[in-house]
Amino acid sequence: MVVLIEVAGVLISIYILLKLIGLRVIPNDKVGIVEKWWSFKGSLDEQIIALKGEAGFQPEVLRGGIHFRTPLMYKVHIVPLVTIPQGQIGYVFARDGKPLEPTQTLGKVIPECNNFQDVRAFLENGGQRGPQRAILREGTYAFNLAQFIVITEDKIYYLPMGNKEEKEMIEKMVQTLKSRNAFRPIVITEDKVGIVTVHDGPSLPSGDIVAPTVGDDPSDPETYHNNFQDPEKFLKAGGFRGRQLQVLVEGTYFINRLFATVELIDKTVIEVGYVGVVVSYVGPKGQDTSGEDYKHGELVEKGYRGVWREPLMPGKYAFNTYAGKIVKVPTTNIILKWISNQTGTHRYDENLKEVSLITKDAFEPSLPLAVVLHIDYRKAPLVVQRFGDLKMLVEQTLDPMVSAYFKNIGQKKTLIELIQQRDEIQKMASEEMKERFAHYNLELEEVLIGTPMSSPNDNKIDAILEQLRDRQIALEQIETYSRQQKAAEKERELREAEARAAQQKLLTESEINIQIQTNQGKAEYQRSLQEAQKIKALAEAEAEKEARIGIGRAIAIEEQVKAYGGPQYQVLQDVMGKFTQALEKTGIDIVPETVVAMGEKASSASFNAFEMLLTLLLTKELGVEFKAKETEDENVRRIKQEILNSILLAKESEKEEKTEQVSQDSQQQSAVS
């Protein structure tokens, strides 16, 4: 028991000793802020940090380890290290330093202070109290939290001093940063543009609404602020507070939101079929390029204040809409309709309605019409410069001009003429109004006129139109009947053609048959000619044969007559021969068996036919006269001579053959012998 009391007394003594000598153990994840209770150099008046050993908070901090600071003179405040997470931003508020200038809202950047970790360097180099322009990127820092208050997204690092106003100020600052999403970098995607508003630096000159671009040249490292990420260089380059002309495009930016805020807007897209005419609100005054005769505004080069002479072609543009505006002008055809409740594609005509006319015959129709026009993209700036807006051009210029023109036309035409001469009026209007449109840098393509319409309480125009329709129907009926008649005639011709086509086969066959029969007739005719020639030849040959036979017989008979001793004997020879042949065939008895005789000589007479024939032949009572031979025909004499010659030749040939045969037989016998 005594031993325990002694040990406890020793421990208490050691503890008291350690307290008296100021032994402090600081972990490695913390720092010690030293506060001096008293000093022979006195205490501070307005400062918080004692740079010369005065009583108060000392600029240096104690890092992790064992330190000795006597509690009789020092108080050590152990605070955590400041950690900024990856991809976040930390903001610093300085409790001590020089006061801010009247034009300043943030303390200037002190590069020598090693990101605020060297309090002495910060204060000795002119560091200012209040929120700082410099920001903290990701990492761990050993801050003197008596001098600096560090605000992150998740935590506020500071050493409380019991100042209520300071606490309220810090809370307000935190709310401001959260409302601006200030703890995260600015990420701009492809279709967005960042419009920057700077909250520090000198104010803009009077009359300027957007600060000009400064410090955007990377080749000048002294003033290149790298898209507002280095506030000190931005101000050194002469930048002004307020909305900036320079914009941020795609990328990630670590910007102090207390120094500058960024508003994301859409990129300006100029579609195909349009050009963008830029009306710039900023820039120096440029030289007017529209000419002395054009007094509708200034047409300037790019970068100057006014309407830019060169329009923007189709595409995407990172355009600062606070520094100017882009008027989209269609380069395709624009259709303007003077028709109630109807609009063209571009909707410039949504307030237009039909033109009210008074015709020559006192009708009051409403005329619907449409105008097709085109704007040359090179003249688009002139149109914008003159009218400011295409809808204003339509409503304040084109509408009264077109209405007045057609009112004048209507007064010179009757209602019927207005309807029937629509095409002529349309062509005339297109030609005459081209010059008027060209005066406003517009190209008129075509004027289209509709059918005049009557007002709701007036049916006279409808009656006229009804009469015209009836008249037209009558004319169309006449035309219809005429065409039906022609159609009937054509149908008849068609039927005839079809019938002819149907009989064409028979016609063709008959024509072919006729041709065949003709050819056959010709063949028959040729055959008959050949047959006739054959018959003639045969007849002539037969006649010649018969003639030759007859002449031959005549020659034979003549020779027979000569042999009988005269012609009468030849006749007798022939008669007797024929008589004998007849008796032989008939079987008549030469001597009849019964003879009837009358008269005196009957008893002594005998009736013998043969005897009677002989008696007649031997007398001259037969009636055959033998005349002298007449002179022979030359042909008969020729044939007779040819026959005689052939007979002689035949006899001689036969004689020669017999002689030759005898000679051959003799030769054969000699050979045998």
Side-chain angles (χ1 to χ4, degrees), residues 13-50:
S13 299
I14 294 172
Y15 175 77
I16 293 172
L17 179 62
L18 292 175
K19 282 291 185 179
L20 290 174
I21 64 176
L23 176 65
R24 302 297 299 267
V25 178
I26 299 175
N28 291 327
D29 60 345
K30 296 185 181 337
V31 295
I33 299 173
V34 179
E35 181 182 0
K36 197 172 187 179
W37 293 107
W38 57 273
S39 174
F40 294 106
K41 296 181 179 181
S43 61
L44 301 174
D45 294 332
E46 296 180 356
Q47 295 180 350
I48 298 175
I49 304 300

Side-chain angles (χ1 to χ4, degrees), residues 428-452:
M428 180 179 64
S430 298
E431 293 297 326
E432 293 181 354
M433 294 182 68
K434 280 185 178 180
E435 184 177 354
R436 301 186 184 186
F437 274 72
H439 179 69
Y440 300 110
N441 304 112
L442 305 174
E443 297 178 4
L444 178 64
E445 298 290 338
E446 192 173 6
V447 177
L448 305 173
I449 303 174
T451 303

Side-chain angles (χ1 to χ4, degrees), residues 537-607:
L538 292 174
E540 290 177 353
E542 187 68 24
E544 185 175 358
K545 175 182 177 183
E546 293 294 330
R548 288 180 179 275
I549 293 172
I551 293 170
R553 288 179 179 176
I555 293 173
I557 292 171
E558 185 178 357
E559 293 299 324
Q560 289 177 357
V561 169
K562 289 179 180 180
Y564 282 111
Q568 63 272 15
Y569 297 108
Q570 179 65 33
V571 172
L572 181 60
Q573 174 70 20
D574 291 338
V575 170
M576 290 303 294
K578 298 292 183 181
F579 183 73
T580 305
Q581 291 176 358
L583 290 177
E584 184 180 357
K585 289 182 179 180
T586 58
I588 300 173
D589 294 334
I590 296 176
V591 180
E593 295 178 357
T594 303
V595 178
V596 178
M598 297 181 68
E600 295 180 354
K601 297 181 179 180
S603 59
S604 60
S606 61
F607 190 82

Side-chain angles (χ1 to χ4, degrees), residues 380-620:
L382 293 173
V383 175
V384 173
Q385 179 188 17
R386 186 167 190 169
F387 299 100
D389 182 77
L390 291 183
K391 195 168 185 180
M392 188 179 299
L393 162 67
V394 172
E395 294 180 354
Q396 297 184 5
T397 302
L398 298 185
D399 183 25
M401 181 183 71
V402 172
S403 298
Y405 177 83
F406 281 99
K407 286 179 182 292
N408 294 336
I409 293 291
Q411 291 176 352
K412 300 175 184 178
K413 302 287 184 181
T414 64
L415 179 62
I416 301 300
E417 291 173 342
L418 195 63
I419 295 173
Q420 294 181 341
Q421 299 177 12
R422 185 178 67 89
D423 184 60
E424 299 175 6
I425 297 173
Q426 200 167 260
K427 292 180 181 178
M428 180 179 64
S430 298
E431 293 297 326
E432 293 181 354
M433 294 182 68
K434 280 185 178 180
E435 184 177 354
R436 301 186 184 186
F437 274 72
H439 179 69
Y440 300 110
N441 304 112
L442 305 174
E443 297 178 4
L444 178 64
E445 298 290 338
E446 192 173 6
V447 177
L448 305 173
I449 303 174
T451 303
M453 301 182 300
S454 58
S455 60
N457 298 325
D458 185 7
N459 59 358
K460 295 180 181 179
I461 296 179
D462 293 336
I464 294 294
L465 295 177
E466 186 67 28
Q467 292 176 6
L468 288 177
R469 283 192 287 268
D470 293 341
R471 187 184 305 171
Q472 187 62 34
I473 290 173
L475 293 175
E476 291 297 330
Q477 286 178 343
I478 293 173
E479 181 67 19
T480 300
Y481 297 151
S482 175
R483 290 179 180 264
Q484 286 177 346
Q485 182 180 0
K486 291 181 180 180
E489 293 176 357
K490 291 294 182 181
E491 184 178 8
R492 179 173 55 80
E493 294 177 1
L494 176 63
R495 300 305 180 197
E496 291 178 357
E498 290 177 347
R500 189 178 296 108
Q503 299 298 324
Q504 187 64 41
K505 181 178 180 182
L506 298 176
L507 291 174
T508 304
E509 291 178 353
S510 62
E511 290 178 358
I512 294 174
N513 289 333
I514 291 172
Q515 189 172 2
I516 292 173
Q517 292 175 5
T518 301
N519 293 337
Q520 289 178 348
K522 290 180 180 179
E524 291 292 336
Y525 174 71
Q526 293 296 327
R527 283 197 294 271
S528 63
L529 290 178
Q530 294 176 1
E531 189 69 24
Q533 291 177 357
K534 177 180 178 183
I535 293 171
K536 181 179 179 181
L538 292 174
E540 290 177 353
E542 187 68 24
E544 185 175 358
K545 175 182 177 183
E546 293 294 330
R548 288 180 179 275
I549 293 172
I551 293 170
R553 288 179 179 176
I555 293 173
I557 292 171
E558 185 178 357
E559 293 299 324
Q560 289 177 357
V561 169
K562 289 179 180 180
Y564 282 111
Q568 63 272 15
Y569 297 108
Q570 179 65 33
V571 172
L572 181 60
Q573 174 70 20
D574 291 338
V575 170
M576 290 303 294
K578 298 292 183 181
F579 183 73
T580 305
Q581 291 176 358
L583 290 177
E584 184 180 357
K585 289 182 179 180
T586 58
I588 300 173
D589 294 334
I590 296 176
V591 180
E593 295 178 357
T594 303
V595 178
V596 178
M598 297 181 68
E600 295 180 354
K601 297 181 179 180
S603 59
S604 60
S606 61
F607 190 82
N608 190 330
F610 184 72
E611 291 178 357
M612 290 177 67
L613 179 60
L614 289 175
T615 301
L616 289 173
L617 290 173
L618 294 175
T619 63
K620 293 181 180 180

